Amino acid sequence: MTAATSPASPDARTGHPTEAGVGARSRRGDGDRTRQTILDAADRLLMESASEDAVSIRAVADAVGLTAPTIYRHFTDKSHLLFEVCAVHFDRFDREVIAPVAERVEDPIEALREMAHAYVRFGLEDPEHYRIMFMGHADHTPEQYDDHQILSTGCFGTVVAVVERAVETGRLRRIDGGPLMTAYVLWSALHGIVATKVAKPNMPGPAPTALVEAVIDANLHGLAL
Amino acid sequence: MTAATSPASPDARTGHPTEAGVGARSRRGDGDRTRQTILDAADRLLMESASEDAVSIRAVADAVGLTAPTIYRHFTDKSHLLFEVCAVHFDRFDREVIAPVAERVEDPIEALREMAHAYVRFGLEDPEHYRIMFMGHADHTPEQYDDHQILSTGCFGTVVAVVERAVETGRLRRIDGGPLMTAYVLWSALHGIVATKVAKPNMPGPAPTALVEAVIDANLHGLAL
DNA sequence: GTGTTGTAGTTAACAGCGTTACGGGAACGA
DNA sequence: TCGTTCCCGTAACGCTGTTAACTACAACAC
């Protein structure tokens, strides 16, 4: 990568951190910088390999020029590392995509439609992140991501708020279970679309974009005659 | 289990196969019986442990009183073994649950409603089977389950037929993409419900049954006012 | 009865995994 | 200068899926 030093070479004590590597032993307070370097490397590995299996502790360690046990000084667990990597993506998605739509788009229906497309686009962009966050075994999930946390991470609250606005302005029916249930209904369908495409990218079927349109239309206007 | 021999003991050459074990070396043509024994053991392990990780090749081999490499004489791969285990469940579900509903229930709408509930019930009954079949990495999927096969396994064809009947009898709208698209819309929502509950059983939210009702109602009558 | 063949099984081993125990050295405060 | 603290490496454990090489034995032909 860089010309200065061969990055992440096993025995290179060449001095300063390389692009992705750590290089010489970090200073006393530089643990956090190393931690961030590890996060970045894991993120990159996860995106490039598109498989959680390829992101082994040893692979991450190699990528940053450390040894495997050192990772455990910065992260308690492999699942903690991976979830933190994914949480960054989900947080940014909520902050930079969903929240702006909620503010920008006046019409709640149109806002929901835009969010739906953005959500599916986001899920399919880095499928492995989506898989780890929403499709992984609960036993492999760190405690802090259990239950409510994983929902708030997934921009669910923003959607509920928009649904509430739509119900209050008379754009959506009020169903049993309230706006929360409505949000779950919509989210389930979108999650189904993403989860299918993430798990089986080559499965035949309609293009996600067309399916999202159909799902929204069906949920809004109904399929029955 | 049985009183005759200690099942699956490492060195027991005591004679006849035990309940789950193979026991004495099988005859020339008895390879298929051993194969089935392995399938049953893997199925049982998968249901009891509720985790694919617990179903290691060695664990299966131990359960039937064989050594790990022997498994490879009957199955080319771990994924092939697991998928065959799951395919049995899905086939039976289609044959014994979905198909009878399609025949028994005259009203296509009511049939779809019953199928939807049955589908979710089935998925949550043995979650690990559902996870392996529909939520696993495509790279871990044996070739013969790729693409169309996995769809026909999942009772999709039966649903499409019912939707077609509903459209032709004027019970459902004809949407862009035809009955196939309608089936995908409905299936996506159901898959979303099951996939969420399979991955995160403790996640807060409405009970699956209530959610299924809400999803069906929304898709039939629409949420918009 | 005596090979021969093919099947079903074994043992040993490889490469990789997540993870832990332990030790050493550099950087800091005193 | 001493002692503490933080960062990291080496070695190792027990597990995984999988392969190679070999053995035991039932079934067949002669």
Side-chain angles (χ1 to χ4, degrees):
Chain A
M1 303 287 186
T2 65
T5 66
S6 80
S9 76
D11 56 346
R13 287 286 178 281
T14 40
H16 301 308
T18 58
E19 180 200 7
V22 171
R25 185 179 289 259
S26 299
R27 305 289 183 80
R28 265 281 267 291
D30 277 14
D32 286 350
R33 196 192 318 270
T34 302
R35 199 188 131 93
Q36 187 58 49
T37 308
I38 294 171
L39 275 174
D40 292 344
D43 192 29
R44 192 168 43 79
L45 277 176
L46 197 57
M47 289 191 294
E48 287 175 0
S49 71
S51 166
E52 177 177 351
D53 293 351
V55 187
S56 67
I57 293 288
R58 284 173 175 86
V60 174
D62 278 0
V64 298
L66 295 175
T67 58
T70 303
I71 306 291
Y72 289 88
R73 195 156 299 276
H74 301 277
F75 299 90
T76 68
D77 215 89
K78 187 189 180 181
S79 70
H80 281 78
L81 167 57
L82 287 184
F83 263 80
E84 194 160 329
V85 165
C86 296
V88 169
H89 279 237
F90 276 78
D91 281 346
R92 192 171 52 201
F93 171 67
D94 192 6
R95 227 176 32 247
E96 300 182 2
V97 180
I98 293 299
V101 171
E103 286 205 12
R104 174 168 48 83
V105 182
E106 194 103 10
D107 182 19
I109 303 294
E110 195 50 42
L112 287 174
R113 189 185 304 269
E114 276 197 36
M115 287 176 181
H117 279 101
Y119 185 86
V120 173
R121 217 179 306 121
F122 164 76
L124 300 183
E125 203 163 302
D126 297 309
E128 220 49 29
H129 294 72
Y130 192 89
R131 157 180 271 123
I132 291 171
M133 190 58 108
F134 280 150
M135 300 167 68
H137 222 132
D139 297 350
H140 303 165
T141 306
E143 326 73 44
Q144 76 255 35
Y145 287 104
D146 267 6
D147 295 349
H148 302 78
Q149 178 62 31
I150 208 170
L151 275 182
S152 72
T153 304
C155 73
F156 198 77
T158 314
V159 173
V160 172
V162 175
V163 170
E164 270 171 349
R165 208 174 72 202
V167 170
E168 284 164 9
T169 56
R171 303 295 308 275
L172 286 183
R173 270 202 300 138
R174 182 179 296 277
I175 69 173
D176 279 356
L180 203 65
M181 180 66 95
T182 305
Y184 271 109
V185 167
L186 296 173
W187 185 81
S188 291
L190 297 178
H191 175 60
I193 294 172
V194 178
T196 303
K197 209 67 185 173
V198 165
K200 314 289 175 199
N202 302 320
M203 193 151 105
T209 308
L211 193 46
V212 171
E213 264 319 305
V215 160
I216 293 176
D217 193 59
N219 276 284
L220 285 181
H221 307 112
L223 293 166
L225 282 172
Chain B
M1 300 291 188
T2 65
T5 66
S6 81
S9 76
D11 56 344
R13 287 284 178 284
T14 39
H16 301 310
T18 57
E19 181 201 5
V22 171
R25 186 178 288 261
S26 298
R27 306 289 183 80
R28 244 327 233 294
D30 276 14
D32 286 350
R33 197 193 315 273
T34 302
R35 200 188 132 91
Q36 188 58 50
T37 308
I38 294 171
L39 274 174
D40 293 344
D43 192 29
R44 191 167 44 78
L45 277 176
L46 197 57
M47 289 192 293
E48 288 175 359
S49 71
S51 167
E52 178 178 350
D53 293 351
V55 187
S56 69
I57 293 287
R58 284 173 176 87
V60 174
D62 279 0
V64 298
L66 295 175
T67 57
T70 303
I71 306 291
Y72 290 88
R73 195 159 299 276
H74 302 276
F75 299 90
T76 69
D77 215 85
K78 187 189 179 180
S79 70
H80 281 79
L81 167 58
L82 287 184
F83 263 79
E84 195 160 329
V85 165
C86 296
V88 170
H89 280 238
F90 276 79
D91 282 345
R92 193 172 53 201
F93 171 67
D94 192 7
R95 229 177 30 249
E96 299 182 3
V97 180
I98 293 299
V101 170
E103 285 204 12
R104 174 168 49 82
V105 183
E106 194 104 9
D107 182 20
I109 302 294
E110 195 51 42
L112 286 174
R113 189 186 303 270
E114 276 197 36
M115 287 176 180
H117 278 103
Y119 185 86
V120 172
R121 219 179 304 122
F122 164 75
L124 300 183
E125 203 163 302
D126 296 309
E128 219 52 25
H129 294 73
Y130 192 91
R131 180 200 299 279
I132 291 171
M133 190 59 109
F134 280 149
M135 299 166 69
H137 222 133
D139 296 349
H140 303 166
T141 306
E143 325 73 43
Q144 77 254 35
Y145 288 103
D146 265 9
D147 296 351
H148 302 77
Q149 178 62 30
I150 208 169
L151 275 182
S152 71
T153 304
C155 76
F156 198 76
T158 314
V159 172
V160 171
V162 175
V163 170
E164 270 171 350
R165 210 174 70 202
V167 170
E168 284 164 8
T169 57
R171 303 294 309 275
L172 284 183
R173 270 202 300 139
R174 183 180 295 278
I175 70 173
D176 279 356
L180 203 67
M181 180 67 96
T182 305
Y184 271 110
V185 166
L186 296 173
W187 184 80
S188 290
L190 297 178
H191 176 60
I193 295 173
V194 178
T196 304
K197 209 65 184 174
V198 164
K200 314 286 175 199
N202 302 320
M203 194 152 105
T209 308
L211 192 46
V212 170
E213 264 318 306
V215 160
I216 293 177
D217 192 59
N219 277 284
L220 286 181
H221 307 112
L223 293 166
L225 281 172

